[in-house]
Amino acid sequence: MTSFEHLPILSADDVERALTRDRAAAALTRALRAGLEPSADLERSVLDVAGGQLLLMPSAGASAVGLKTVTLAAGNPGRGLPRIQGAYLLFDAETLELRAIMDGIAVTNLRTPAVSVAATAPLLTRFTRPIELVVFGAGPQAVGHVDAIRAGGSVEPADVTYVVRHPDRAREQLPPRTTVVAADSPDLTVRLGRAQVVVCATSARTPLFDSAHLTDGTVVIAVGSHEPDVRELDGSLMARANVVVEDVRTALREAGDVVLAIREGHLHADGLIPMADVVRGTRTLAPDRTAVFKSVGMSWQDLVVAEEIMEQHRRGPMT
């Protein structure tokens, strides 16, 4: 029986202290190279409740079972509360004894950019000079992706531009002297044309930009949408790109950027490239062709990261 008196309960600060994004990316890479199959992951459930939605994300591995429970309450910002909240439960795989409880949003904020880095590290080696990075959004995931790309070591950002709807508001939460441009700024097309990497981490429901402004060979990371009827990228981009996804079946069910492009005739399901193939090196993508990594987030990723968090937490603060 679980002793709750001695049960580890990790706050957001505990999660952040325990594991860096580059170590989380390394853990995900090791798991895929060791044979983890994303297609075998358990499906998540989205339940409508009176206050909004309840998301349940279970996963079962060889040594642990995990469940992330996330709530979405659209009215919470008006109450001074976060729109998204959650907790992660980590169990022993054999006994199903509860081993730890973690801040679920902190796990997500750590996991998402780590997945992007693990998936795109083999693609970013195409850039031999410091890159120009354009990031749509200025929230935790946008900033987290910039930090993760810097820490990943595959490339060195020479310049980072955040693209937002309200620049003044974004500047208040970003580091001083950060370059911020408005989404409707004429300067954006120039910056997109110079960018080697573009990150989309927004709640947009329609394409963020005209992909005609991107040069061939650009790497695009899209993590903001996980519903089949919303998108951050236009169909034209999906037509000209190698499209990498975490799992083909999941992408066809949840990734609006993929689902809508297929519906429009820009993309074919049999052309989707599983992330595992790229990470394992069984599929090499031409460096002169634009690449898109479309992520919706999967439960196996949370479990891998949660186990690594606990391993590092037990070892004590990193040096």
Side-chain angles (χ1 to χ4, degrees):
M1 183 174 65
T2 300
S3 173
F4 284 90
E5 182 180 355
H6 301 290
L7 182 71
I9 300 177
L10 277 62
S11 68
D13 288 342
D14 293 330
V15 169
E16 185 174 343
R17 282 193 294 266
L19 192 63
T20 59
R21 293 182 178 92
D22 57 322
R23 292 194 181 189
L28 291 159
T29 298
R30 287 195 304 271
L32 288 172
R33 289 179 177 171
L36 185 151
E37 291 297 340
S39 60
D41 204 17
L42 300 173
E43 289 189 16
R44 61 180 165 196
S45 301
V46 181
L47 307 175
D48 292 323
V49 294
Q53 288 185 321
L54 181 67
L55 278 66
L56 304 177
M57 298 182 64
S59 189
S63 57
V65 172
L67 174 66
K68 187 169 73 175
T69 303
V70 177
T71 61
L72 289 81
N76 270 5
R79 305 181 183 103
L81 296 172
R83 175 176 173 268
I84 304 175
Q85 302 175 86
Y88 195 86
L89 306 180
L90 186 67
F91 303 88
D92 180 83
E94 182 176 357
T95 66
L96 297 183
E97 181 182 20
L98 184 61
R99 289 166 47 186
I101 301 174
M102 306 178 194
D103 184 300
I105 304 308
V107 173
T108 303
N109 288 343
L110 173 63
R111 172 265 282 169
T112 305
V115 171
S116 295
V117 167
T120 61
L123 310 179
L124 297 181
T125 58
R126 66 181 61 177
F127 306 120
T128 58
R129 295 178 296 176
I131 65 166
E132 297 209 23
L133 174 59
V134 172
V135 183
F136 286 84
Q141 288 300 347
V143 175
H145 272 76
V146 174
D147 292 343
I149 290 170
R150 283 195 173 115
S154 296
V155 291
E156 176 188 348
D159 184 59
V160 179
T161 300
Y162 288 91
V163 183
V164 296
R165 287 178 295 178
H166 306 289
D168 291 340
R169 188 184 306 170
R171 289 189 184 97
E172 293 177 357
Q173 62 192 54
L174 292 169
R177 296 182 295 279
T178 298
T179 302
V180 181
V181 303
D184 58 357
S185 169
D187 188 40
L188 177 57
T189 59
V190 176
R191 292 182 179 273
L192 285 172
R194 295 200 307 249
Q196 284 82 33
V197 178
V198 176
V199 174
C200 301
T202 74
S203 58
R205 303 187 68 83
T206 55
L208 293 164
F209 58 91
D210 182 349
S211 64
H213 299 303
L214 298 180
T215 59
D216 291 335
T218 305
V219 174
V220 180
I221 299 169
V223 303
S225 65
H226 53 84
E227 300 170 72
D229 59 344
V230 302
R231 70 201 316 182
E232 294 180 291
L233 308 176
D234 61 26
S236 297
L237 175 58
M238 307 300 272
R240 64 189 269 209
N242 283 314
V243 179
V244 179
V245 297
E246 294 144 309
D247 170 61
V248 171
R249 184 182 63 178
T250 303
L252 293 174
R253 185 177 63 245
E254 301 180 15
D257 302 84
V258 170
V259 172
L260 296 174
I262 290 175
R263 187 179 302 166
E264 295 163 352
H266 292 294
L267 185 65
H268 298 282
D270 57 7
L272 297 174
I273 302 167
M275 169 186 174
D277 290 356
V278 177
V279 173
R280 293 170 185 159
T282 58
R283 180 73 179 266
T284 302
L285 306 188
D288 59 349
R289 185 175 180 185
T290 300
V292 168
F293 173 56
K294 173 56 198 171
S295 171
V296 295
M298 294 185 67
S299 304
W300 67 266
Q301 301 159 356
D302 290 316
L303 180 57
V304 170
V305 170
E307 286 195 271
E308 190 69 13
I309 289 169
M310 282 308 302
E311 178 66 24
Q312 297 297 332
H313 179 72
R314 282 192 292 265
R315 292 179 181 180
M318 293 179 297
T319 59

